[in-house]
């Protein structure tokens, strides 16, 4: 028996109709839920989107969770609109007694605004190569994971390490690095107060902590003191929290930190061996390939490597949409027989308070000029 078909108005063109079998998926709502064809009804114009959200257990989503430091660390904020305001307070006055006039709070409550920016990519496939279904699935799997890797590096760079002023395009956000290098009258933060620049070179001192004289252990005294001082910038403030403290560092720091020991000869970097996070001064550390300084957002930054320490609750990552894909087959008017596939993610980002974070920037070593 023939299944009755329903003719619905296209959400994109009122003059064009499309046919659909009841129960057929017509598209997806903005929240990712599918829209099914039902006899006698049609989706509201503008509510159908050709973008298909990737499942959260897909290889792409899992890879982003592993590779993107800001995705792992920042506090997620749901966004149903392009912008969202988050209230920020500078604290509240408390006291004792029964006279509440003595503790009337006069602190300012201001806001940070998260703006969702689109991070996008596109690739094409020759339709002759897509005749085999397995070839199509394999291509989507490979390209999806490649997008996840590049997107993770790009997002980390854009949110953490870009030095330029936010413009919504080449600089999508005010990065954590930019915030720590800039005055903010709303929070009372002075530029560079929580920024340390050093080449992290050791002074060559060698100590022998082994009482039996089994060998001297090199200790990078300068590196140790600089890292400790950077941690102290956050720990002496009111926004430090032991349970929420975390380190975000460029992967180039791994080699350097393996050679830094305290005065007892104990390495300050503890390898978690994959089961538990690596730690620095007993604080969990998340590695990132995107935390190098760059003037604009890029997936391959080449500037000075950065190491951040602070309270994860004061990094806000707005989630307008997760990874979505859209596929469009070749049309009769196209010059080539190619199918185009797009990926996009819409995210917002903001630093809730600069004093909750500090950054160490590893600058090139400069050989001292000998006296004349």
């Amino acid at each position: 028996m023939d299944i009755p078909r329903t003719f619905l108005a296209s959400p994109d063109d009122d003059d064009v109709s499309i046919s659909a079998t009841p129960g057929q998926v017509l598209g997806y709502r903005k929240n990712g839920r599918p829209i099914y064809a039902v006899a006698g009804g049609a989706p509201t114009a503008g509510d159908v989107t050709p973008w298909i959200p990737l499942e959260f257990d897909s290889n792409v989503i899992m890879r982003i969770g592993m590779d993107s430091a800001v995705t792992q660390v920042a506090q997620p904020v749901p966004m149903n609109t392009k912008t969202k305001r988050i209230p920020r307070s500078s604290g509240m006055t408390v006291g004792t007694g029964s006279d509440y006039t003595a503790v009337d709070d006069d602190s300012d409550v201001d806001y940070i605004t998260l703006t969702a920016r689109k991070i996008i990519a596109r690739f094409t496939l020759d339709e002759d190569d897509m005749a085999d279904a397995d070839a199509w699935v394999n291509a989507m799997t490979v390209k999806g994971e490649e997008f996840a890797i590049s997107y993770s590096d790009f997002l980390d760079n854009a949110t953490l390490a870009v030095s330029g002023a936010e413009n919504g395009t080449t600089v999508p956000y005010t990065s954590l690095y930019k915030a720590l290098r800039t005055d903010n009258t709303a929070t009372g933060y002075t530029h560079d107060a929580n920024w340390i620049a050093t080449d992290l070179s050791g002074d060559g001192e060698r100590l022998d902590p082994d009482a039996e004289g089994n060998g001297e252990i090199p200790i990078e005294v300068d590196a140790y003191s600089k890292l400790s001082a950077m941690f102290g910038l956050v720990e002496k403030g009111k926004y430090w929290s032991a349970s929420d403290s975390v380190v975000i560092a460029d992967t180039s720091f791994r080699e350097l930190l393996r050679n830094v020991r305290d005065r007892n000869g104990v390495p300050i970097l503890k390898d978690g061996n994959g089961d538990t996070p690596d730690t620095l001064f007993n604080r969990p550390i998340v590695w990132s390939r995107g935390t190098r300084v760059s003037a604009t957002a890029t997936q391959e930054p080449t500037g000075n490597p950065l190491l951040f320490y602070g309270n994860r609750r004061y990094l806000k990552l707005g989630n307008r949409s997760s990874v979505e894909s859209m596929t469009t087959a070749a049309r009769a008017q196209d010059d080539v027989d190619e199918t185009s596939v797009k990926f996009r993610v819409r995210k917002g980002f903001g630093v809730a308070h600069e004093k909750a974070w500090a950054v160490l920037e590893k600058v090139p070593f400069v050989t001292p000029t000998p006296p004349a």
Side-chain angles (χ1 to χ4, degrees), residues 242-316:
S243 60
D244 292 318
S245 296
V246 65
V247 178
I248 304 174
D250 183 75
T251 53
S252 64
F253 278 99
R254 289 182 62 88
E255 179 182 7
L256 186 148
L257 294 176
R258 278 194 292 263
N259 295 316
V260 180
R261 302 169 184 263
D262 62 20
R263 292 190 176 274
N264 294 318
V266 179
I268 63 173
L269 176 65
K270 302 292 176 43
D271 191 349
N273 295 320
D275 297 327
T276 57
D278 296 346
T279 61
L280 179 63
F281 292 136
N282 295 320
R283 296 292 92 197
I285 183 168
V286 180
W287 303 103
S288 171
R289 293 180 298 268
T291 46
R292 284 177 173 264
V293 179
S294 63
T296 58
T298 175
Q299 66 196 50
E300 297 180 346
T302 58
N304 293 335
L306 302 172
L307 186 148
F308 297 94
Y309 174 67
N311 188 331
R312 67 173 73 228
R313 295 177 64 86
Y314 289 86
L315 293 184
K316 309 293 184 179

Side-chain angles (χ1 to χ4, degrees), residues 99-181:
D99 183 3
Y100 285 86
T101 60
V103 293
D104 280 339
D105 186 64
D106 59 357
S107 60
D108 295 329
V109 178
D110 66 331
Y111 296 84
I112 63 171
T113 300
L114 304 183
T115 301
R117 310 289 190 190
K118 286 194 292 185
I119 301 175
I120 59 177
R122 181 175 64 182
F123 74 96
T124 58
L125 288 172
D126 190 311
E127 294 200 340
D128 288 341
D129 297 334
M130 294 171 52
D132 183 359
D134 289 340
W136 165 247
V137 172
N138 290 338
M140 284 295 293
T141 299
V142 171
K143 287 298 184 180
E145 292 189 8
E146 288 178 353
F147 172 78
I149 296 170
S150 297
Y151 161 74
S152 297
D153 297 343
F154 185 94
L155 180 67
D156 284 357
N157 183 251
T159 56
L160 301 174
V162 171
S163 60
E166 179 177 351
N167 59 22
T169 54
T170 58
V171 183
Y173 317 107
T174 297
S175 74
L176 178 56
Y177 176 78
K178 177 64 175 177
L180 294 174
R181 304 292 313 273

